[in-house]
Every structure is written in structure tokens, then in C-alpha cells.
Amino acid sequence: MTSGVGALWSARNSLRILVKRDLAVKYQQSVLGYLWSLIEPLGMGAIYWFVFGVLYSGATRRHLGDAAGSYPLFLVTGIFAWMWASSAMNEATNALTGQARLITTMNVPRQVFPIGRVTGRFAEYAAGLPILVGIAAVYAAHGKIHPGWSLLALPLAVAVQLVLLVGIALLLSAWNVLMRDIERFMRLIIRVLFYATPIIYPLSLVRDSGMPTWVKLAYELNPLVGIFQLHHAIWYPDEFPDARLLATTVLGSLLVLTFGWWSFRRLEPAVLKEL
């Protein structure tokens, strides 16, 4: 794995070119261009705010605590990070099948292609950070949030999410070449993950529920749970994951990366033969 990382670092210019190409192709015939990476999460945030912040505001406020007065910020913070995760998983699935000609002709580590999809979606997430900061500034000016040391949760959240998504991308891209059902299966999994992760609701809602203890423990084994707690903790320090959840999240993400890298290298000969 160490030698593979070294080879990947040597091919960083190729990775940068692939990311720029993917972004250019994605938005080349779009009038609004990169604005779509902002419009979609903001639109989703408006819909969920209407449902849970207006129609079911009573139930929402009981569990949000200090975040109740700035629920739109809570929503948008989670949805921006989710758009990065869901888009990366979706696009990584066909990262190899959709670029077969490049893969068989370019002399670069094949990991570059799925990692490029994750990096490209991170660029879209980064483009939305000024909007997120602007919304947070409005609430901070009205005294509804008090950001401080908790802002340091952002680089930690991004780093752990990047590790997890790279591992998942390596797994999905290789498996999908050999089993094309993976792409269809992931559409369902991604939809389930959205509601099985504290993106639009606080983790306390799950912990205070009447579900069996083993279900709650299994729920928190999902590394995305701790990752989104870190994202929310940027503005709401009380949401910072406890030591057990943080350790589970970091170790789980590293295990996924290790297993994804190992699987990709083991399946690479079969993948190249199939392509």
C-alpha cells in the first residue's frame, strides 16, 4: 500500500487533469455551470426545512436543543456534506467502466480514476463553503450560534470523510466492472444511508428513541454517523462526537480505505481483462 501511495503521488498531475476534465465536461453545456453544485443542496435544504422546521416544528425543536433557532444552518451543513458523499459514491461506481479507453492507454495507477471522482465532488463541496459560512455569519450576528474552537471540526470532518469515500470508491469501482448490478444496488443503499445518518435530524433523536440498544449500537457503527456529527459540530459544539463514536468513525474509515485499496489491487488484473 505504501508503494501504491507513492505511485499515486507521482501521478498527482494526472489526477489534477482528470478532475479538471470531469468538472469541465459535467458543466460545459450548463448555463448556470458550477452554481448547480449550490442550487441543489440549497433546494433540498429548503424542502426539509419546510417539512421539519415548519410542519413538524414542535417535534423538531424538542430534539435540536440549541440548534432549534438555526435549523436551516443545521440542515444545509449536513446536506452540503451529503451531496459530496452521495455524488462521489454514485460516480465512483462507474469510474472504471465509463473510462475504459483511458484506463487501458494511460500509464498511471488505476486508483487515480475512482479517486478523481471523489476529488471532483470535493471541489464542488469546497465551492459551497462560502455560502455555508455566509449563512452561519447571519445566525452568529443574531446570537443564535457561537462558533469558536469548534470550527476546527471542519478539517477533521473533511479528512475522515475523504478517507472513507476513497475506500468506498475503490471498492465500488472495481466490483462494478465484474458485477454490473452494483450500480443499481447502490442507488438503493444511498437512499437508505441518507435517512440512516444524522443529516437532517440530530443524533439525540436516535439515542433517546425506544429502539433496542443493539439497534442503536449498530446504527453508530456507520462511519458516516460520526462524520456528520463532526460537520454539525462546526457550528454546534454540543454535537461533537464522544470519544467512543469518534474512535469508531476514524477506525471504521481507515478499515474501509485499507480494505478498498487491497480489494482494488487484488481485482485489478481481472478488471483490466474485463475492460
Side-chain angles (χ1 to χ4, degrees), residues 102-168:
L102 281 176
I103 292 168
T104 54
T105 56
M106 287 183 65
N107 185 25
V108 295
R110 275 78 185 193
Q111 294 94 326
V112 163
F113 297 94
I115 292 175
R117 296 297 174 89
V118 175
T119 308
R121 304 298 72 77
F122 169 71
E124 294 176 340
Y125 169 76
L129 284 179
I131 301 296
L132 195 59
V133 171
I135 296 172
V138 172
Y139 283 111
H142 288 82
K144 293 186 177 181
I145 63 169
H146 306 281
W149 65 266
S150 61
L151 293 174
L152 297 176
L154 176 59
L156 179 58
V158 168
V160 179
Q161 184 168 339
L162 182 64
V163 167
L164 178 65
L165 291 179
V166 167
I168 293 175

Side-chain angles (χ1 to χ4, degrees), residues 27 43 54 71 78 88 146 159-160 196 203 226 273:
Y27 297 110
V54 177
Y71 184 50
H146 306 281
V160 179
L203 180 59
K273 184 177 179 180

